[in-house]
Amino acid sequence: MEEEHEQELPQNVADLAQATVPSAIRGIRACKRCGILKTLDQFVDDGCENCPFLEMVDDPEKVNACTTAFYEGQTAVMDPRESWVAKWLRVDNYLPGCYAITVTGQFDKEIEEELENRGCRWRCRPSA
């Protein structure tokens, strides 16, 4: 018998298969840390693929604390490692998906401290 060899997908194709895009036009929110765009329900159901340590799955209160409806612009990033836009937005180490150009909002102090302890940067900026 011949062994079947599973063909391994290139990493960028495997990443693209994991990409999440907003499932609706209304009610889109941005993750305050990475800027990925999804609906409130998508964040509650799946959390943020780039920021699993924020533990948003099945926690609407945490989703409200870690996401915002206040963002400007959006772009679809298909290949973050090769995209100059992804590099410019500093999302080149994240998964493919739709990202906000700018994110406005602030984390609670506890979440900010946790991110600082992890050495994580975040994209949201306080409103002026």
Side-chain angles (χ1 to χ4, degrees), residues 43-44 55-64:
F43 278 115
V44 171
E55 299 173 347
M56 291 190 256
V57 177
D58 295 328
D59 190 345
E61 285 183 30
K62 192 78 177 245
V63 170
N64 279 324

Side-chain angles (χ1 to χ4, degrees), residues 77-90:
V77 177
M78 302 293 285
D79 189 353
R81 289 172 201 83
E82 298 295 322
S83 166
W84 69 266
V85 173
K87 288 179 178 78
W88 178 68
L89 289 174
R90 296 185 178 154

Side-chain angles (χ1 to χ4, degrees), residues 107-119:
F107 279 115
D108 296 339
K109 283 289 179 206
E110 302 86 39
I111 297 171
E112 273 189 17
E113 287 173 7
E114 180 186 340
L115 291 174
E116 285 174 358
N117 290 339
R118 288 177 172 270

